[in-house]
Amino acid sequence: MTDSRTRQERAADPVTVLGLGAMGTALAGALLAGGHDVTVWNRTAARAEPLVARGARAAATVEEAVTASPLVIVCVLDDDAVHQTLGPVTPALADRALVNLTNGTPAQARATSAWATGHGAHYVDGGIMAIPPMIGHPGATVLYSGDQAAFATHRETLERFGAATFLGTDPGAAALHDLALLSGMYGMLGGFLHAVAMVGTEGGKAAEFTSALLIPWLNTMMTALPEYARQIDAGETGGHDSNLAMQSVGYVNLIEGSRAQGLRTDLIEPMRNLIDRAVAEGKGGEDLQGLVPLITAGPPAA
Ligand code: FVH
């Protein structure tokens, strides 16, 4: 699937986008802005209208959409929706590059890859590390894995969305790293939401607190991560600065203080549970890095 044409010659390559929710619309919009010949399809046909007004062609059926372009991008709600969309049109998939930017698990990516490849498609899985307004702008990154030749052939088109990072030929790799990054994001956002709720109980404004105190604090803490990561890779569990026995005592204040302010503690309980378990297992002298082996061990037996 190598392509020796120049970037300019590839600029108007036809591309199909299946799924025109917030993200699919942003992806199709970036392709239109890049000068591509874009065919779109959505289960609810009316959602194609704004893109048609910008120059896209709306296909009447999924089959018509898939056969319109050598590169087919699918971005729908979930894995079931991918298969409900493409399942009835498998003969049309042969020789297409199918890039699936629907959020899913590594297992789903591997199964969909085997399924699509079995129908003759060149399958690339992807994880979008951006929200729709970021697509096509600096800061957006999309992770890809799977068919390397298909990725290389369409790389410049895929770069219309943002930086394109290829993580290898295992189709599950992009989903694994996507979920890992989302876990980092939800951890941060969960902390943010609890923090602004706490300050708000005494009339504090989220905007002022966030700019003046929270962001500088999180930025400072972020500088510790590379050393934590090095220790985790080396199998070291810390124990020099902020041991878990101390943190389990201090964490009680976070829980009790939140309750006293009338807050729910759902967002902060899980970390406390893990710290307490580590201490109960004799790891009180370790630092937070020591929690990774507990996470890796999987859920405790019932
Ligand atoms: N939006 C975001 O911030 C995140 C950023 C990171 C990547 N995610 C993932 O992208 C996928 C699509 O998300 P979305 O934001 O476009 O989602 P919605 O706006 O809710 O649109 C959903 C589209 O999926 C279609 N759809 C749902 N079920 C089916 C089905 N059974 N068969 C065919 N299409 C289906 C839906 O169609 P319709 O309701 O308009 O007819 C929309 O096109 C997703 O995996 C995110 O996790 C977004």
Side-chain angles (χ1 to χ4, degrees), residues 252-280:
V252 173
N253 296 329
L254 177 49
I255 301 286
E256 295 304 322
S258 296
R259 287 192 183 132
Q261 298 299 123
L263 299 177
R264 305 174 60 123
T265 53
D266 312 49
L267 285 170
I268 55 174
E269 295 271 5
M271 183 70 122
R272 181 213 188 167
N273 293 341
L274 211 53
I275 291 172
D276 286 353
R277 171 171 282 271
V279 172

mmCIF file of all heavy atoms in Angstrom, residues 252-280:
data_model
loop_
_atom_site.group_PDB
_atom_site.id
_atom_site.type_symbol
_atom_site.label_atom_id
_atom_site.label_comp_id
_atom_site.label_asym_id
_atom_site.label_seq_id
_atom_site.Cartn_x
_atom_site.Cartn_y
_atom_site.Cartn_z
ATOM 1 N N VAL A 252 -7.356 10.393 56.221
ATOM 2 C CA VAL A 252 -8.579 10.425 57.037
ATOM 3 C C VAL A 252 -9.091 11.863 57.124
ATOM 4 O O VAL A 252 -10.301 12.122 57.074
ATOM 5 C CB VAL A 252 -8.307 9.855 58.451
ATOM 6 C CG1 VAL A 252 -9.519 10.055 59.357
ATOM 7 C CG2 VAL A 252 -7.924 8.381 58.357
ATOM 8 N N ASN A 253 -8.175 12.821 57.217
ATOM 9 C CA ASN A 253 -8.597 14.222 57.305
ATOM 10 C C ASN A 253 -9.276 14.678 56.018
ATOM 11 O O ASN A 253 -10.220 15.481 56.052
ATOM 12 C CB ASN A 253 -7.398 15.124 57.605
ATOM 13 C CG ASN A 253 -6.803 14.827 58.964
ATOM 14 O OD1 ASN A 253 -7.530 14.422 59.884
ATOM 15 N ND2 ASN A 253 -5.496 14.995 59.099
ATOM 16 N N LEU A 254 -8.767 14.167 54.875
ATOM 17 C CA LEU A 254 -9.385 14.511 53.595
ATOM 18 C C LEU A 254 -10.820 13.993 53.543
ATOM 19 O O LEU A 254 -11.750 14.707 53.146
ATOM 20 C CB LEU A 254 -8.527 13.918 52.457
ATOM 21 C CG LEU A 254 -8.998 14.078 51.024
ATOM 22 C CD1 LEU A 254 -9.382 15.511 50.701
ATOM 23 C CD2 LEU A 254 -7.906 13.605 50.071
ATOM 24 N N ILE A 255 -11.012 12.755 54.016
ATOM 25 C CA ILE A 255 -12.357 12.167 53.994
ATOM 26 C C ILE A 255 -13.264 12.860 55.023
ATOM 27 O O ILE A 255 -14.365 13.324 54.692
ATOM 28 C CB ILE A 255 -12.301 10.647 54.314
ATOM 29 C CG1 ILE A 255 -11.405 9.905 53.297
ATOM 30 C CG2 ILE A 255 -13.696 10.047 54.385
ATOM 31 C CD1 ILE A 255 -11.964 9.702 51.936
ATOM 32 N N GLU A 256 -12.772 12.924 56.254
ATOM 33 C CA GLU A 256 -13.606 13.503 57.324
ATOM 34 C C GLU A 256 -13.859 14.986 57.078
ATOM 35 O O GLU A 256 -14.959 15.489 57.317
ATOM 36 C CB GLU A 256 -12.932 13.310 58.699
ATOM 37 C CG GLU A 256 -12.799 11.850 59.134
ATOM 38 C CD GLU A 256 -14.129 11.113 59.154
ATOM 39 O OE1 GLU A 256 -15.140 11.724 59.538
ATOM 40 O OE2 GLU A 256 -14.158 9.934 58.745
ATOM 41 N N GLY A 257 -12.834 15.690 56.624
ATOM 42 C CA GLY A 257 -12.984 17.125 56.341
ATOM 43 C C GLY A 257 -14.002 17.360 55.231
ATOM 44 O O GLY A 257 -14.791 18.308 55.280
ATOM 45 N N SER A 258 -14.000 16.495 54.230
ATOM 46 C CA SER A 258 -14.968 16.622 53.135
ATOM 47 C C SER A 258 -16.374 16.377 53.651
ATOM 48 O O SER A 258 -17.313 17.123 53.331
ATOM 49 C CB SER A 258 -14.638 15.613 52.030
ATOM 50 O OG SER A 258 -13.383 15.892 51.457
ATOM 51 N N ARG A 259 -16.515 15.316 54.447
ATOM 52 C CA ARG A 259 -17.860 15.000 54.986
ATOM 53 C C ARG A 259 -18.366 16.153 55.854
ATOM 54 O O ARG A 259 -19.543 16.516 55.799
ATOM 55 C CB ARG A 259 -17.806 13.712 55.801
ATOM 56 C CG ARG A 259 -17.656 12.490 54.904
ATOM 57 C CD ARG A 259 -17.884 11.205 55.678
ATOM 58 N NE ARG A 259 -17.674 10.063 54.804
ATOM 59 C CZ ARG A 259 -16.936 8.993 55.089
ATOM 60 N NH1 ARG A 259 -16.358 8.892 56.280
ATOM 61 N NH2 ARG A 259 -16.791 8.021 54.222
ATOM 62 N N ALA A 260 -17.464 16.711 56.641
ATOM 63 C CA ALA A 260 -17.864 17.813 57.526
ATOM 64 C C ALA A 260 -18.328 19.028 56.725
ATOM 65 O O ALA A 260 -19.137 19.831 57.205
ATOM 66 C CB ALA A 260 -16.704 18.201 58.440
ATOM 67 N N GLN A 261 -17.829 19.154 55.496
ATOM 68 C CA GLN A 261 -18.279 20.268 54.637
ATOM 69 C C GLN A 261 -19.543 19.884 53.874
ATOM 70 O O GLN A 261 -20.010 20.636 53.028
ATOM 71 C CB GLN A 261 -17.178 20.639 53.632
ATOM 72 C CG GLN A 261 -15.876 21.143 54.242
ATOM 73 C CD GLN A 261 -16.052 22.415 55.048
ATOM 74 O OE1 GLN A 261 -15.723 22.460 56.237
ATOM 75 N NE2 GLN A 261 -16.587 23.460 54.440
ATOM 76 N N GLY A 262 -20.060 18.682 54.136
ATOM 77 C CA GLY A 262 -21.295 18.241 53.483
ATOM 78 C C GLY A 262 -21.087 17.629 52.109
ATOM 79 O O GLY A 262 -22.028 17.524 51.322
ATOM 80 N N LEU A 263 -19.848 17.217 51.792
ATOM 81 C CA LEU A 263 -19.558 16.701 50.452
ATOM 82 C C LEU A 263 -19.704 15.190 50.371
ATOM 83 O O LEU A 263 -19.479 14.479 51.365
ATOM 84 C CB LEU A 263 -18.119 17.056 50.060
ATOM 85 C CG LEU A 263 -17.771 18.547 49.985
ATOM 86 C CD1 LEU A 263 -16.285 18.705 49.654
ATOM 87 C CD2 LEU A 263 -18.616 19.250 48.937
ATOM 88 N N ARG A 264 -20.006 14.692 49.190
ATOM 89 C CA ARG A 264 -19.860 13.256 48.889
ATOM 90 C C ARG A 264 -18.368 12.974 48.749
ATOM 91 O O ARG A 264 -17.613 13.844 48.311
ATOM 92 C CB ARG A 264 -20.493 12.895 47.548
ATOM 93 C CG ARG A 264 -21.917 13.261 47.374
ATOM 94 C CD ARG A 264 -22.330 12.966 45.938
ATOM 95 N NE ARG A 264 -22.176 11.566 45.628
ATOM 96 C CZ ARG A 264 -23.151 10.765 45.187
ATOM 97 N NH1 ARG A 264 -24.347 11.269 44.994
ATOM 98 N NH2 ARG A 264 -22.929 9.509 44.917
ATOM 99 N N THR A 265 -17.989 11.751 49.036
ATOM 100 C CA THR A 265 -16.563 11.425 48.980
ATOM 101 C C THR A 265 -16.246 10.349 47.928
ATOM 102 O O THR A 265 -15.158 9.777 47.937
ATOM 103 C CB THR A 265 -16.067 10.962 50.370
ATOM 104 O OG1 THR A 265 -16.910 9.910 50.830
ATOM 105 C CG2 THR A 265 -16.077 12.103 51.370
ATOM 106 N N ASP A 266 -17.185 10.141 47.007
ATOM 107 C CA ASP A 266 -17.007 9.079 46.002
ATOM 108 C C ASP A 266 -15.696 9.192 45.229
ATOM 109 O O ASP A 266 -15.057 8.183 44.913
ATOM 110 C CB ASP A 266 -18.135 9.109 44.955
ATOM 111 C CG ASP A 266 -19.516 9.196 45.562
ATOM 112 O OD1 ASP A 266 -19.725 10.056 46.440
ATOM 113 O OD2 ASP A 266 -20.376 8.415 45.146
ATOM 114 N N LEU A 267 -15.322 10.431 44.906
ATOM 115 C CA LEU A 267 -14.146 10.600 44.041
ATOM 116 C C LEU A 267 -12.834 10.363 44.775
ATOM 117 O O LEU A 267 -11.814 10.107 44.146
ATOM 118 C CB LEU A 267 -14.148 12.015 43.426
ATOM 119 C CG LEU A 267 -15.160 12.241 42.302
ATOM 120 C CD1 LEU A 267 -15.248 13.733 41.939
ATOM 121 C CD2 LEU A 267 -14.769 11.450 41.057
ATOM 122 N N ILE A 268 -12.847 10.472 46.086
ATOM 123 C CA ILE A 268 -11.579 10.363 46.812
ATOM 124 C C ILE A 268 -11.438 9.074 47.626
ATOM 125 O O ILE A 268 -10.348 8.757 48.101
ATOM 126 C CB ILE A 268 -11.347 11.609 47.723
ATOM 127 C CG1 ILE A 268 -12.537 11.799 48.673
ATOM 128 C CG2 ILE A 268 -11.102 12.851 46.887
ATOM 129 C CD1 ILE A 268 -12.297 12.916 49.697
ATOM 130 N N GLU A 269 -12.537 8.325 47.762
ATOM 131 C CA GLU A 269 -12.481 7.082 48.552
ATOM 132 C C GLU A 269 -11.561 6.010 47.952
ATOM 133 O O GLU A 269 -10.860 5.318 48.686
ATOM 134 C CB GLU A 269 -13.884 6.474 48.696
ATOM 135 C CG GLU A 269 -14.867 7.312 49.486
ATOM 136 C CD GLU A 269 -14.849 7.025 50.982
ATOM 137 O OE1 GLU A 269 -14.000 6.231 51.426
ATOM 138 O OE2 GLU A 269 -15.679 7.613 51.687
ATOM 139 N N PRO A 270 -11.569 5.828 46.609
ATOM 140 C CA PRO A 270 -10.807 4.686 46.071
ATOM 141 C C PRO A 270 -9.315 4.735 46.407
ATOM 142 O O PRO A 270 -8.714 3.711 46.748
ATOM 143 C CB PRO A 270 -11.032 4.796 44.557
ATOM 144 C CG PRO A 270 -12.325 5.530 44.425
ATOM 145 C CD PRO A 270 -12.346 6.512 45.569
ATOM 146 N N MET A 271 -8.728 5.911 46.372
ATOM 147 C CA MET A 271 -7.300 6.021 46.683
ATOM 148 C C MET A 271 -7.056 5.688 48.147
ATOM 149 O O MET A 271 -6.088 5.007 48.497
ATOM 150 C CB MET A 271 -6.834 7.447 46.355
ATOM 151 C CG MET A 271 -5.378 7.674 46.567
ATOM 152 S SD MET A 271 -4.411 6.781 45.336
ATOM 153 C CE MET A 271 -3.523 8.109 44.607
ATOM 154 N N ARG A 272 -7.966 6.143 48.991
ATOM 155 C CA ARG A 272 -7.799 5.841 50.420
ATOM 156 C C ARG A 272 -7.861 4.325 50.650
ATOM 157 O O ARG A 272 -7.063 3.766 51.414
ATOM 158 C CB ARG A 272 -8.916 6.522 51.221
ATOM 159 C CG ARG A 272 -8.784 6.261 52.705
ATOM 160 C CD ARG A 272 -10.113 6.172 53.373
ATOM 161 N NE ARG A 272 -9.952 6.100 54.817
ATOM 162 C CZ ARG A 272 -10.925 6.268 55.671
ATOM 163 N NH1 ARG A 272 -12.141 6.541 55.249
ATOM 164 N NH2 ARG A 272 -10.714 6.164 56.954
ATOM 165 N N ASN A 273 -8.799 3.667 49.975
ATOM 166 C CA ASN A 273 -8.943 2.222 50.161
ATOM 167 C C ASN A 273 -7.666 1.487 49.781
ATOM 168 O O ASN A 273 -7.237 0.542 50.446
ATOM 169 C CB ASN A 273 -10.113 1.700 49.312
ATOM 170 C CG ASN A 273 -11.441 2.229 49.817
ATOM 171 O OD1 ASN A 273 -11.539 2.674 50.964
ATOM 172 N ND2 ASN A 273 -12.451 2.222 48.963
ATOM 173 N N LEU A 274 -7.054 1.940 48.690
ATOM 174 C CA LEU A 274 -5.842 1.276 48.225
ATOM 175 C C LEU A 274 -4.668 1.529 49.185
ATOM 176 O O LEU A 274 -3.886 0.623 49.489
ATOM 177 C CB LEU A 274 -5.505 1.782 46.813
ATOM 178 C CG LEU A 274 -4.801 0.829 45.873
ATOM 179 C CD1 LEU A 274 -5.531 -0.499 45.748
ATOM 180 C CD2 LEU A 274 -4.663 1.468 44.493
ATOM 181 N N ILE A 275 -4.570 2.769 49.662
ATOM 182 C CA ILE A 275 -3.496 3.088 50.616
ATOM 183 C C ILE A 275 -3.668 2.241 51.887
ATOM 184 O O ILE A 275 -2.710 1.637 52.398
ATOM 185 C CB ILE A 275 -3.495 4.599 50.958
ATOM 186 C CG1 ILE A 275 -3.068 5.421 49.734
ATOM 187 C CG2 ILE A 275 -2.580 4.890 52.155
ATOM 188 C CD1 ILE A 275 -3.214 6.925 49.904
ATOM 189 N N ASP A 276 -4.914 2.174 52.386
ATOM 190 C CA ASP A 276 -5.160 1.410 53.623
ATOM 191 C C ASP A 276 -4.846 -0.074 53.426
ATOM 192 O O ASP A 276 -4.316 -0.742 54.317
ATOM 193 C CB ASP A 276 -6.620 1.580 54.069
ATOM 194 C CG ASP A 276 -6.867 2.959 54.677
ATOM 195 O OD1 ASP A 276 -5.885 3.706 54.856
ATOM 196 O OD2 ASP A 276 -8.038 3.281 54.952
ATOM 197 N N ARG A 277 -5.190 -0.596 52.230
ATOM 198 C CA ARG A 277 -4.901 -2.009 51.956
ATOM 199 C C ARG A 277 -3.392 -2.247 51.965
ATOM 200 O O ARG A 277 -2.904 -3.239 52.509
ATOM 201 C CB ARG A 277 -5.489 -2.412 50.597
ATOM 202 C CG ARG A 277 -5.070 -3.788 50.134
ATOM 203 C CD ARG A 277 -5.851 -4.196 48.906
ATOM 204 N NE ARG A 277 -7.180 -4.622 49.262
ATOM 205 C CZ ARG A 277 -7.502 -5.875 49.582
ATOM 206 N NH1 ARG A 277 -6.588 -6.825 49.585
ATOM 207 N NH2 ARG A 277 -8.718 -6.200 49.902
ATOM 208 N N ALA A 278 -2.659 -1.299 51.342
ATOM 209 C CA ALA A 278 -1.202 -1.451 51.303
ATOM 210 C C ALA A 278 -0.630 -1.456 52.719
ATOM 211 O O ALA A 278 0.227 -2.288 53.062
ATOM 212 C CB ALA A 278 -0.587 -0.318 50.475
ATOM 213 N N VAL A 279 -1.123 -0.545 53.548
ATOM 214 C CA VAL A 279 -0.628 -0.484 54.936
ATOM 215 C C VAL A 279 -0.962 -1.788 55.658
ATOM 216 O O VAL A 279 -0.110 -2.372 56.350
ATOM 217 C CB VAL A 279 -1.223 0.739 55.666
ATOM 218 C CG1 VAL A 279 -0.868 0.703 57.156
ATOM 219 C CG2 VAL A 279 -0.708 2.037 55.027
ATOM 220 N N ALA A 280 -2.186 -2.295 55.452
ATOM 221 C CA ALA A 280 -2.600 -3.554 56.103
ATOM 222 C C ALA A 280 -1.728 -4.720 55.662
ATOM 223 O O ALA A 280 -1.551 -5.690 56.402
ATOM 224 C CB ALA A 280 -4.065 -3.832 55.782
#
